[in-house]
Amino acid sequence: MNLAIVSLAIQLDRAYTNFFEGRAKHPTFKSKHRNHDSFAVPQCWRIDRKFVFLPKIGEVSWKKHRHIEGTPKHLTVTQDGDRWFCSVNCEVEIQDPVAPDGPFVGIDLGLKNLAVLSDGTVIENPGHLKKREKKLKREQRRLSRKVKGSKNRERQKKRLQAVHRKIRDARRDFLHKITHRLVESYGGFSVESLNISGMLKNHRLAKSISDVGWGEFGRQLSYKSEWNGNTIVEIGRFFPSSKMCSVCGWIKDDLKLSDRNWVCGGCDATHDRDLNASLNIEAEGLKIATATGCPSGSEAATTAGLAGSHACGEEGSGQRHAAGETGLDEAGKIHLASGRSVFQIAHAVR
Ligand SMILES: [Zn+2]
């Protein structure tokens, strides 16, 4: 069969699966102006030390970014600005993860700080976009002055794409380091499921919300927890984590976004907004974990009759949203992973 058709069929299948399971929008045709382009090569490709052999294209020289382990399955070629990347999907047999013994923490995501953990740890928001905003604006301004359809405009477009790429790569790299550190040092997490696409409709906050990368943080934390054996519980979207006093449960209805500290009307306790929220998220997460029989935190060590990985909550951002809408019962579903093959992706750049 024609290779291009096979590749398209695989992608279409994936697109429709994602659509029907509520993770993505209905598939659309590719645009010739879109700057992120890719195609899959399911077979007849091979890599040696110097070249990637692609059917109908031939030899392409490459630069190795990561060692390829396991059995290579298929290859995807993607374009990012003026660069081309090859990702190799490999099948690797991995051991069933052993649940780590670290403490169970609640995580409150924010804008000033990326995350505040219920043990008091604060992860600052590095503000990747903010750092390069000036440069980005300059390159955008230059682009707007170039004549449409001209060579100069094309060149400028690539320069602008390079700035965007730099921001995106820095953000992703930072999040990878943070989530790696988290799954290594803690046993389990309780996180809020956030309605990010809804929040982005608030134009005053949209830029900051996209810059901090909550969605990517949640995605990475969720799959790394599953691989590593950490417990992860998701709290419903309507849980009043910020408004509730973590000591007595009193609810402050008139809490504003600008209130960083507040005093409880029930027990006079003074709260740091984010720390209080993370404590509530931790407590709620423990409650859900206990109700669903999912071992978590210190209890994990004692009740872990089930060996292997335990991940509460659901996978995939779309499903998470659905869980948030239907309430807490849904959010606490248990997912047990066992005997899986994990795909590792290696990148090569031309
Ligand atoms: Zn109180």
Side-chain angles (χ1 to χ4, degrees):
M1 211 199 299
N2 187 321
L3 200 82
I5 294 174
V6 176
S7 152
L8 280 177
I10 293 171
Q11 288 180 341
L12 192 64
D13 176 57
R14 198 185 306 148
Y16 269 107
T17 311
N18 284 340
F19 168 63
F20 286 123
E21 289 183 3
R23 284 192 292 267
K25 286 183 189 162
H26 190 273
T28 52
F29 285 105
K30 281 193 175 185
S31 152
K32 92 177 190 193
H33 303 293
R34 211 170 61 162
N35 57 20
H36 183 87
D37 241 333
S38 73
F39 62 92
V41 188
Q43 57 196 352
C44 303
W45 59 272
R46 124 185 97 81
I47 283 183
D48 70 11
R49 274 188 6 181
K50 277 190 175 167
F51 298 105
V52 184
F53 296 88
L54 297 170
K56 300 201 177 169
I57 295 170
E59 286 181 350
V60 182
S61 62
W62 68 301
K63 190 175 147 196
K64 187 165 155 185
H65 278 190
R66 200 189 292 182
H67 183 64
I68 297 170
E69 286 172 48
T71 325
K73 287 289 172 183
H74 74 262
L75 182 113
T76 310
V77 181
T78 43
Q79 185 185 17
D80 183 3
D82 55 348
R83 292 186 193 185
W84 291 85
F85 293 88
C86 278
S87 306
V88 181
N89 265 17
C90 299
E91 213 173 57
V92 184
E93 279 293 325
I94 59 156
Q95 302 278 321
D96 260 350
V98 181
D101 328 316
F104 183 85
V105 282
I107 302 177
D108 178 59
L109 297 173
L111 290 179
K112 190 169 149 274
N113 295 312
L114 165 66
V116 173
L117 311 189
S118 54
D119 67 351
T121 311
V122 175
I123 301 163
E124 274 177 42
N125 174 13
H128 298 288
L129 176 66
K130 221 171 177 184
K131 272 183 211 158
R132 291 192 170 84
E133 205 163 24
K134 242 183 172 171
K135 188 167 171 59
L136 195 65
K137 283 224 167 108
R138 191 166 59 226
E139 300 296 351
Q140 273 163 342
R141 203 165 46 234
R142 281 180 184 156
L143 180 71
S144 70
R145 289 188 187 131
K146 304 277 189 267
V147 180
K148 277 194 181 148
S150 69
K151 273 264 155 63
N152 265 334
R153 193 183 168 90
E154 275 306 303
R155 259 199 294 273
Q156 182 57 32
K157 212 168 146 187
K158 291 212 166 119
R159 266 181 224 129
L160 179 61
Q161 280 169 346
V163 182
H164 277 298
R165 183 174 56 226
K166 208 146 208 167
I167 295 169
R168 198 176 56 229
D169 288 350
R171 182 184 301 137
R172 200 182 293 157
D173 176 64
F174 173 76
L175 289 175
H176 270 299
K177 283 174 182 157
I178 291 293
T179 48
H180 176 78
R181 216 178 68 200
L182 288 175
V183 296
E184 288 294 311
S185 21
Y186 295 96
F189 311 99
S190 177
V191 280
E192 263 181 311
S193 79
L194 299 165
N195 173 17
I196 295 168
S197 48
M199 287 180 185
L200 290 179
K201 284 178 190 143
N202 180 341
H203 294 292
R204 278 186 308 152
L205 293 177
K207 211 197 298 180
S208 322
I209 291 173
S210 318
D211 187 30
V212 69
W214 289 334
E216 182 63 11
F217 176 84
R219 190 189 70 83
Q220 290 181 9
L221 192 70
S222 147
Y223 85 78
K224 285 181 189 178
S225 291
E226 200 197 325
W227 286 10
N228 199 44
N230 305 66
T231 307
I232 183 157
V233 184
E234 272 197 59
I235 309 295
R237 197 190 298 171
F238 301 108
F239 177 69
S241 62
S242 300
K243 288 178 180 174
M244 197 163 78
C245 168
S246 56
V247 180
C248 70
W250 185 77
I251 289 184
K252 185 174 168 69
D253 278 320
D254 56 345
L255 187 75
K256 283 188 238 116
L257 250 179
S258 54
D259 296 338
R260 305 309 311 168
N261 294 294
W262 56 281
V263 178
C264 172
C267 68
D268 289 335
T270 311
H271 293 301
D272 171 87
R273 181 201 179 88
D274 299 336
L275 185 63
N276 176 61
S278 65
L279 284 166
N280 282 329
I281 292 168
E282 182 196 334
E284 186 66 18
L286 276 173
K287 216 193 281 173
I288 292 174
T290 323
T292 50
C294 191
S296 51
S298 50
E299 291 140 56
T302 50
T303 52
L306 305 141
S309 141
H310 311 275
C312 284
E314 296 188 32
E315 293 171 274
S317 54
Q319 281 172 308
R320 252 186 277 151
H321 285 193
E325 266 150 16
T326 45
L328 300 178
D329 303 333
E330 276 291 306
K333 253 188 201 166
I334 303 180
H335 173 83
L336 290 176
S338 62
R340 295 152 302 119
S341 297
V342 169
F343 294 102
Q344 196 191 9
I345 295 165
H347 291 285
V349 65
R350 185 181 164 180

